[in-house]
Structures are given as C-alpha cells and as structure tokens.
Amino acid sequence: MTTSRVLIGSIGVVLIFVTNPSANADPRAVIELFTSQGCSSCPAADSLLSELRADSSLIPLSLPIDYWDYLGWKDTLAIPGHTARQKAYSHTRGDREIYTPQVVVNGIAQAIGSDRAAIEKAVMQSRHNASCLSVPLHVTVADERVTVTLPKREGEEATGGEVWLCPLSQSVSVGIGRGENRGRTITYTNVVRRWVKLGTWSGKSETFTVPIDAIKSAGIDAVAVILQSGSADKPGAMLGASLASLPRLTSKKIAPARLQPAL
C-alpha cells in the first residue's frame, strides 16, 4: 500500500531521501566530519571535505562540535548534538575514539579527517556491508515543495531505520578571533545546522511532501536526508542518503520553522 502525506504547520518537516537525479543518484558514501574552529588540526580536514564535494558519489557533511570551546574560542557553528552523535558512534564501534578532525563513513568506519587515503579506505571498508546505501529513494524539489518517495521492501530487504532531515549551509566562511586558529578565516562545507527526526521506515512504500518555506531559514540553502539503521543513541549503517539544493528564499518574510526536538 502506498501512503501519501502532506506535512505542514509547526512541525514543518519532510521525509526526503535518496536518488535525486539532480543530486547524488547513486551515493557511494556519507562522510561526516567532526570538526572544530578551535582545533589547529582541523583546517586541513575542512579543506579536504570541500574537495570531496566535487565527487558526486560522496555526501560530505560538516558536524562542528563544542568540546574544544574551553580553549578560548567558542565554535560559532557547533551543535551539542554533534558531540553526542560522535560519542554514540564511538560506543557503537566499541573503540571509544573521539577526536577532531574525525570522519565517520557510512555510519560504520572512522578515519582521520585530513587523510584522503584513509577516508577512501574507510569508504571501501564500509561497502562490505550489504545494506549500506542500498535503499533507492526519490526526492524532487519543485513548486515550492519537496516531495519524497520511499520504496516498498519486503523480506530480508525490509531492514528498517530512522529518517533524519538536515538543513544545510553549503558554504560558510568564519573569521576566528581567538584560540589555536586565531586570525584565520576558514570555509566550512555542507554545515549541518540542525537535525530533525522525521520518523522510521520499515519497508512500506510512502510519499511525503512539505512546503520549502517550512524548513528554510537564513543561511539554509540545501538539505541532506539520511536513512540510518539503529537509533540516535546507537547509530548504525547508512541505508541511504541524498543531498538537494533549495531555491532562494522569496521576498516575503519567513519565520523559522518550529521543528520537533532532535539532536
């Protein structure tokens, strides 16, 4: 059975996901970079993430953390939930390794964020998981709406997961006034500004739509959506993901959407 929904109002979220013909049609990896404006080792990783964006098979995301703020510079893009997410990954892996710059690839493998060869190795390692990025979903952005279709899966292919929407700023330049990177201006790529849990997917075919102005606010010009096994406390393999650009805001004033609490 196919379910069609229109999501509007105070929640203002949309179930979006993979295989956007104008974006990442066949994503090979989701690369989450845990970074900090107060970390002297991070600018090289931030630069590399920008380069990786040129590969259309990769979905690179910047997740600024806040645990280095005490060193003298409060990260202007950090979200406490990013620190919690990084810790959750380390607990799931069982290695308790938390550092910056750290990359987590497809929710499974980790590597130093400035090491291109190690990241590629982690991509290959994660692909040994048969369910990794195996769910083909469709997203379209048109007529001031985002429309998403999730496919029907049955039997062993019906492995479910949580669906998360991440409003993004595709490029943010920050001048750093204090701390280890004092005097530098660093550009961050696909910065995740917040996380919204849209729900869970258990293999049913569904279609969701949402007005774009319900998820846009100042600085937001794209969205990423991930379908991930496990939970926020115990994140697992990425089952699918996609990036999509959003059109420019109209001239009317748009209030920030009241999204349900998440990370």
Side-chain angles (χ1 to χ4, degrees):
M1 180 178 68
T2 298
T3 303
S4 180
R5 304 178 187 176
V6 178
L7 304 179
I8 56 177
S10 62
I11 293 180
V13 296
V14 58
L15 194 55
I16 12 185
F17 189 56
V18 196
T19 315
N20 180 355
S22 62
N24 302 78
D26 295 299
R28 187 166 60 99
V30 177
I31 299 175
E32 298 174 79
L33 171 63
F34 294 93
T35 184
S36 172
Q37 295 169 16
C39 163
S40 62
S41 300
C42 286
D46 300 320
S47 179
L48 176 57
L49 197 74
S50 178
E51 295 176 16
L52 294 178
R53 182 168 60 177
D55 184 341
S56 62
S57 73
L58 302 178
I59 298 179
L61 303 173
S62 294
L63 279 64
I65 54 84
D66 61 359
Y67 51 77
W68 296 133
D69 287 358
Y70 77 94
L71 294 178
W73 177 256
K74 185 175 181 179
D75 194 298
T76 62
L77 301 173
I79 297 176
H82 289 164
T83 299
R85 183 170 176 82
Q86 188 179 23
K87 290 179 179 179
Y89 271 134
S90 72
H91 289 193
T92 299
R93 291 191 309 266
D95 57 26
R96 302 299 176 96
E97 291 190 15
I98 301 172
Y99 58 90
T100 57
Q102 182 181 41
V103 153
V104 174
V105 176
N106 286 333
I108 300 174
Q110 63 99 5
I112 296 174
S114 56
D115 189 333
R116 186 189 295 267
I119 292 174
E120 181 59 33
K121 181 178 179 180
V123 171
M124 298 300 294
Q125 175 185 340
S126 70
R127 300 295 291 184
H128 292 159
N129 185 313
S131 65
C132 185
L133 297 179
S134 63
V135 180
L137 305 177
H138 184 72
V139 56
T140 58
V141 180
D143 300 324
E144 300 185 357
R145 290 178 175 274
V146 179
T147 302
V148 180
T149 303
L150 290 84
K152 181 178 181 180
R153 287 289 180 89
E154 297 179 336
E156 294 183 0
E157 292 185 341
T159 300
E162 295 184 341
V163 187
W164 293 85
L165 166 69
C166 301
L168 304 177
S169 296
Q170 295 184 79
S171 182
V172 182
S173 294
V174 178
I176 300 174
R178 296 186 302 278
E180 294 184 351
N181 290 314
R182 179 180 179 180
R184 303 186 67 169
T185 297
I186 301 174
T187 299
Y188 298 90
T189 300
N190 290 343
V191 181
V192 177
R193 308 312 297 266
R194 61 185 185 271
W195 292 72
V196 182
K197 183 178 179 181
L198 304 178
T200 58
W201 177 76
S202 59
K204 294 181 179 180
S205 176
E206 295 184 287
T207 298
F208 296 77
T209 63
V210 68
I212 290 174
D213 63 8
I215 57 175
K216 283 204 70 172
S217 57
I220 302 301
D221 54 9
V223 290
V225 178
I226 64 172
L227 174 63
Q228 188 167 22
S229 62
S231 64
D233 294 335
K234 296 180 179 179
M238 293 291 179
L239 304 179
S242 187
L243 285 175
S245 297
L246 297 178
R248 293 180 180 276
L249 285 169
T250 61
S251 58
K252 66 180 180 180
K253 184 178 180 180
I254 298 176
R258 292 179 54 201
L259 301 175
Q260 65 187 65
L263 293 185

PDB file of all heavy atoms in Angstrom, residues 121-143:
ATOM      1  N   LYS A 121      39.843   4.371   2.091  1.00  0.00           N
ATOM      2  CA  LYS A 121      39.897   3.010   2.636  1.00  0.00           C
ATOM      3  C   LYS A 121      38.662   2.735   3.489  1.00  0.00           C
ATOM      4  O   LYS A 121      38.072   1.644   3.426  1.00  0.00           O
ATOM      5  CB  LYS A 121      41.163   2.835   3.470  1.00  0.00           C
ATOM      6  CG  LYS A 121      41.323   1.439   4.057  1.00  0.00           C
ATOM      7  CD  LYS A 121      42.627   1.318   4.850  1.00  0.00           C
ATOM      8  CE  LYS A 121      42.771  -0.067   5.459  1.00  0.00           C
ATOM      9  NZ  LYS A 121      44.040  -0.192   6.234  1.00  0.00           N
ATOM     10  N   ALA A 122      38.251   3.736   4.271  1.00  0.00           N
ATOM     11  CA  ALA A 122      37.055   3.583   5.102  1.00  0.00           C
ATOM     12  C   ALA A 122      35.805   3.438   4.249  1.00  0.00           C
ATOM     13  O   ALA A 122      34.885   2.693   4.593  1.00  0.00           O
ATOM     14  CB  ALA A 122      36.926   4.775   6.046  1.00  0.00           C
ATOM     15  N   VAL A 123      35.771   4.159   3.110  1.00  0.00           N
ATOM     16  CA  VAL A 123      34.641   4.016   2.189  1.00  0.00           C
ATOM     17  C   VAL A 123      34.562   2.574   1.687  1.00  0.00           C
ATOM     18  O   VAL A 123      33.488   1.953   1.703  1.00  0.00           O
ATOM     19  CB  VAL A 123      34.770   4.994   1.002  1.00  0.00           C
ATOM     20  CG1 VAL A 123      33.720   4.686  -0.061  1.00  0.00           C
ATOM     21  CG2 VAL A 123      34.636   6.430   1.473  1.00  0.00           C
ATOM     22  N   MET A 124      35.695   2.037   1.249  1.00  0.00           N
ATOM     23  CA  MET A 124      35.722   0.673   0.736  1.00  0.00           C
ATOM     24  C   MET A 124      35.348  -0.325   1.832  1.00  0.00           C
ATOM     25  O   MET A 124      34.613  -1.283   1.588  1.00  0.00           O
ATOM     26  CB  MET A 124      37.107   0.361   0.178  1.00  0.00           C
ATOM     27  CG  MET A 124      37.515   1.250  -0.998  1.00  0.00           C
ATOM     28  SD  MET A 124      36.361   1.099  -2.393  1.00  0.00           S
ATOM     29  CE  MET A 124      36.660  -0.604  -2.863  1.00  0.00           C
ATOM     30  N   GLN A 125      35.841  -0.100   3.039  1.00  0.00           N
ATOM     31  CA  GLN A 125      35.547  -0.991   4.152  1.00  0.00           C
ATOM     32  C   GLN A 125      34.050  -1.006   4.455  1.00  0.00           C
ATOM     33  O   GLN A 125      33.455  -2.069   4.666  1.00  0.00           O
ATOM     34  CB  GLN A 125      36.310  -0.529   5.395  1.00  0.00           C
ATOM     35  CG  GLN A 125      35.999  -1.315   6.662  1.00  0.00           C
ATOM     36  CD  GLN A 125      36.696  -0.729   7.882  1.00  0.00           C
ATOM     37  OE1 GLN A 125      37.664   0.010   7.771  1.00  0.00           O
ATOM     38  NE2 GLN A 125      36.193  -1.055   9.060  1.00  0.00           N
ATOM     39  N   SER A 126      33.442   0.184   4.454  1.00  0.00           N
ATOM     40  CA  SER A 126      32.022   0.267   4.786  1.00  0.00           C
ATOM     41  C   SER A 126      31.151  -0.404   3.739  1.00  0.00           C
ATOM     42  O   SER A 126      30.060  -0.908   4.044  1.00  0.00           O
ATOM     43  CB  SER A 126      31.611   1.733   4.954  1.00  0.00           C
ATOM     44  OG  SER A 126      31.628   2.417   3.710  1.00  0.00           O
ATOM     45  N   ARG A 127      31.623  -0.442   2.501  1.00  0.00           N
ATOM     46  CA  ARG A 127      30.828  -1.015   1.423  1.00  0.00           C
ATOM     47  C   ARG A 127      30.743  -2.532   1.505  1.00  0.00           C
ATOM     48  O   ARG A 127      29.984  -3.162   0.753  1.00  0.00           O
ATOM     49  CB  ARG A 127      31.391  -0.592   0.069  1.00  0.00           C
ATOM     50  CG  ARG A 127      31.411   0.907  -0.170  1.00  0.00           C
ATOM     51  CD  ARG A 127      30.024   1.505  -0.225  1.00  0.00           C
ATOM     52  NE  ARG A 127      29.299   1.094  -1.419  1.00  0.00           N
ATOM     53  CZ  ARG A 127      28.095   1.529  -1.749  1.00  0.00           C
ATOM     54  NH1 ARG A 127      27.460   2.370  -0.960  1.00  0.00           N
ATOM     55  NH2 ARG A 127      27.503   1.103  -2.843  1.00  0.00           N
ATOM     56  N   HIS A 128      31.503  -3.145   2.399  1.00  0.00           N
ATOM     57  CA  HIS A 128      31.387  -4.583   2.607  1.00  0.00           C
ATOM     58  C   HIS A 128      30.080  -4.944   3.292  1.00  0.00           C
ATOM     59  O   HIS A 128      29.674  -6.103   3.297  1.00  0.00           O
ATOM     60  CB  HIS A 128      32.570  -5.089   3.442  1.00  0.00           C
ATOM     61  CG  HIS A 128      33.883  -5.008   2.729  1.00  0.00           C
ATOM     62  ND1 HIS A 128      35.092  -5.006   3.371  1.00  0.00           N
ATOM     63  CD2 HIS A 128      34.162  -4.910   1.403  1.00  0.00           C
ATOM     64  CE1 HIS A 128      36.067  -4.916   2.481  1.00  0.00           C
ATOM     65  NE2 HIS A 128      35.526  -4.859   1.281  1.00  0.00           N
ATOM     66  N   ASN A 129      29.434  -3.942   3.899  1.00  0.00           N
ATOM     67  CA  ASN A 129      28.124  -4.147   4.497  1.00  0.00           C
ATOM     68  C   ASN A 129      27.077  -4.077   3.391  1.00  0.00           C
ATOM     69  O   ASN A 129      26.893  -3.044   2.749  1.00  0.00           O
ATOM     70  CB  ASN A 129      27.862  -3.061   5.549  1.00  0.00           C
ATOM     71  CG  ASN A 129      26.568  -3.274   6.316  1.00  0.00           C
ATOM     72  OD1 ASN A 129      25.533  -3.548   5.725  1.00  0.00           O
ATOM     73  ND2 ASN A 129      26.618  -3.105   7.621  1.00  0.00           N
ATOM     74  N   ALA A 130      26.390  -5.179   3.149  1.00  0.00           N
ATOM     75  CA  ALA A 130      25.476  -5.278   2.006  1.00  0.00           C
ATOM     76  C   ALA A 130      24.325  -4.279   2.070  1.00  0.00           C
ATOM     77  O   ALA A 130      23.796  -3.869   1.033  1.00  0.00           O
ATOM     78  CB  ALA A 130      24.928  -6.700   1.912  1.00  0.00           C
ATOM     79  N   SER A 131      23.920  -3.894   3.266  1.00  0.00           N
ATOM     80  CA  SER A 131      22.788  -2.977   3.392  1.00  0.00           C
ATOM     81  C   SER A 131      23.182  -1.514   3.225  1.00  0.00           C
ATOM     82  O   SER A 131      22.322  -0.645   3.072  1.00  0.00           O
ATOM     83  CB  SER A 131      22.113  -3.166   4.760  1.00  0.00           C
ATOM     84  OG  SER A 131      22.991  -2.785   5.809  1.00  0.00           O
ATOM     85  N   CYS A 132      24.473  -1.246   3.209  1.00  0.00           N
ATOM     86  CA  CYS A 132      24.953   0.127   3.157  1.00  0.00           C
ATOM     87  C   CYS A 132      24.493   0.828   1.880  1.00  0.00           C
ATOM     88  O   CYS A 132      24.764   0.363   0.769  1.00  0.00           O
ATOM     89  CB  CYS A 132      26.473   0.133   3.257  1.00  0.00           C
ATOM     90  SG  CYS A 132      27.192   1.758   3.338  1.00  0.00           S
ATOM     91  N   LEU A 133      23.761   1.939   2.029  1.00  0.00           N
ATOM     92  CA  LEU A 133      23.257   2.743   0.916  1.00  0.00           C
ATOM     93  C   LEU A 133      22.550   1.877  -0.124  1.00  0.00           C
ATOM     94  O   LEU A 133      22.727   2.064  -1.324  1.00  0.00           O
ATOM     95  CB  LEU A 133      24.400   3.541   0.277  1.00  0.00           C
ATOM     96  CG  LEU A 133      25.061   4.565   1.202  1.00  0.00           C
ATOM     97  CD1 LEU A 133      26.197   5.273   0.486  1.00  0.00           C
ATOM     98  CD2 LEU A 133      24.073   5.577   1.739  1.00  0.00           C
ATOM     99  N   SER A 134      21.734   0.953   0.349  1.00  0.00           N
ATOM    100  CA  SER A 134      21.058   0.017  -0.546  1.00  0.00           C
ATOM    101  C   SER A 134      19.615   0.407  -0.857  1.00  0.00           C
ATOM    102  O   SER A 134      18.968  -0.245  -1.668  1.00  0.00           O
ATOM    103  CB  SER A 134      21.068  -1.383   0.082  1.00  0.00           C
ATOM    104  OG  SER A 134      20.345  -1.393   1.307  1.00  0.00           O
ATOM    105  N   VAL A 135      19.108   1.448  -0.199  1.00  0.00           N
ATOM    106  CA  VAL A 135      17.697   1.815  -0.373  1.00  0.00           C
ATOM    107  C   VAL A 135      17.569   2.943  -1.393  1.00  0.00           C
ATOM    108  O   VAL A 135      17.991   4.072  -1.143  1.00  0.00           O
ATOM    109  CB  VAL A 135      17.071   2.250   0.969  1.00  0.00           C
ATOM    110  CG1 VAL A 135      15.604   2.621   0.770  1.00  0.00           C
ATOM    111  CG2 VAL A 135      17.206   1.151   2.002  1.00  0.00           C
ATOM    112  N   PRO A 136      16.976   2.679  -2.555  1.00  0.00           N
ATOM    113  CA  PRO A 136      16.809   3.709  -3.576  1.00  0.00           C
ATOM    114  C   PRO A 136      15.523   4.509  -3.339  1.00  0.00           C
ATOM    115  O   PRO A 136      14.428   4.007  -3.513  1.00  0.00           O
ATOM    116  CB  PRO A 136      16.726   2.904  -4.876  1.00  0.00           C
ATOM    117  CG  PRO A 136      16.099   1.611  -4.457  1.00  0.00           C
ATOM    118  CD  PRO A 136      16.541   1.352  -3.031  1.00  0.00           C
ATOM    119  N   LEU A 137      15.685   5.742  -2.908  1.00  0.00           N
ATOM    120  CA  LEU A 137      14.549   6.630  -2.673  1.00  0.00           C
ATOM    121  C   LEU A 137      14.630   7.814  -3.620  1.00  0.00           C
ATOM    122  O   LEU A 137      15.680   8.123  -4.163  1.00  0.00           O
ATOM    123  CB  LEU A 137      14.532   7.104  -1.220  1.00  0.00           C
ATOM    124  CG  LEU A 137      14.533   5.989  -0.173  1.00  0.00           C
ATOM    125  CD1 LEU A 137      14.586   6.569   1.224  1.00  0.00           C
ATOM    126  CD2 LEU A 137      13.319   5.101  -0.329  1.00  0.00           C
ATOM    127  N   HIS A 138      13.513   8.503  -3.788  1.00  0.00           N
ATOM    128  CA  HIS A 138      13.446   9.570  -4.783  1.00  0.00           C
ATOM    129  C   HIS A 138      13.001  10.874  -4.140  1.00  0.00           C
ATOM    130  O   HIS A 138      12.059  10.893  -3.345  1.00  0.00           O
ATOM    131  CB  HIS A 138      12.456   9.191  -5.884  1.00  0.00           C
ATOM    132  CG  HIS A 138      12.389  10.182  -6.991  1.00  0.00           C
ATOM    133  ND1 HIS A 138      13.401  10.336  -7.918  1.00  0.00           N
ATOM    134  CD2 HIS A 138      11.437  11.085  -7.316  1.00  0.00           C
ATOM    135  CE1 HIS A 138      13.064  11.277  -8.774  1.00  0.00           C
ATOM    136  NE2 HIS A 138      11.882  11.762  -8.427  1.00  0.00           N
ATOM    137  N   VAL A 139      13.696  11.959  -4.458  1.00  0.00           N
ATOM    138  CA  VAL A 139      13.342  13.279  -3.939  1.00  0.00           C
ATOM    139  C   VAL A 139      13.288  14.287  -5.080  1.00  0.00           C
ATOM    140  O   VAL A 139      14.140  14.276  -5.970  1.00  0.00           O
ATOM    141  CB  VAL A 139      14.340  13.762  -2.869  1.00  0.00           C
ATOM    142  CG1 VAL A 139      15.763  13.789  -3.382  1.00  0.00           C
ATOM    143  CG2 VAL A 139      13.949  15.139  -2.345  1.00  0.00           C
ATOM    144  N   THR A 140      12.270  15.122  -5.076  1.00  0.00           N
ATOM    145  CA  THR A 140      12.166  16.198  -6.056  1.00  0.00           C
ATOM    146  C   THR A 140      11.884  17.504  -5.326  1.00  0.00           C
ATOM    147  O   THR A 140      11.201  17.530  -4.295  1.00  0.00           O
ATOM    148  CB  THR A 140      11.047  15.949  -7.078  1.00  0.00           C
ATOM    149  OG1 THR A 140       9.793  15.797  -6.388  1.00  0.00           O
ATOM    150  CG2 THR A 140      11.325  14.694  -7.896  1.00  0.00           C
ATOM    151  N   VAL A 141      12.423  18.585  -5.865  1.00  0.00           N
ATOM    152  CA  VAL A 141      12.181  19.929  -5.340  1.00  0.00           C
ATOM    153  C   VAL A 141      11.551  20.737  -6.466  1.00  0.00           C
ATOM    154  O   VAL A 141      12.198  21.037  -7.463  1.00  0.00           O
ATOM    155  CB  VAL A 141      13.489  20.587  -4.866  1.00  0.00           C
ATOM    156  CG1 VAL A 141      13.216  21.994  -4.329  1.00  0.00           C
ATOM    157  CG2 VAL A 141      14.173  19.737  -3.805  1.00  0.00           C
ATOM    158  N   ALA A 142      10.277  21.054  -6.328  1.00  0.00           N
ATOM    159  CA  ALA A 142       9.556  21.783  -7.368  1.00  0.00           C
ATOM    160  C   ALA A 142       8.295  22.397  -6.777  1.00  0.00           C
ATOM    161  O   ALA A 142       7.745  21.894  -5.794  1.00  0.00           O
ATOM    162  CB  ALA A 142       9.191  20.847  -8.522  1.00  0.00           C
ATOM    163  N   ASP A 143       7.850  23.504  -7.399  1.00  0.00           N
ATOM    164  CA  ASP A 143       6.604  24.157  -6.986  1.00  0.00           C
ATOM    165  C   ASP A 143       6.603  24.479  -5.500  1.00  0.00           C
ATOM    166  O   ASP A 143       5.588  24.335  -4.810  1.00  0.00           O
ATOM    167  CB  ASP A 143       5.394  23.274  -7.328  1.00  0.00           C
ATOM    168  CG  ASP A 143       5.278  22.996  -8.817  1.00  0.00           C
ATOM    169  OD1 ASP A 143       5.602  23.905  -9.604  1.00  0.00           O
ATOM    170  OD2 ASP A 143       4.886  21.879  -9.177  1.00  0.00           O
TER     171      ASP A 143
END
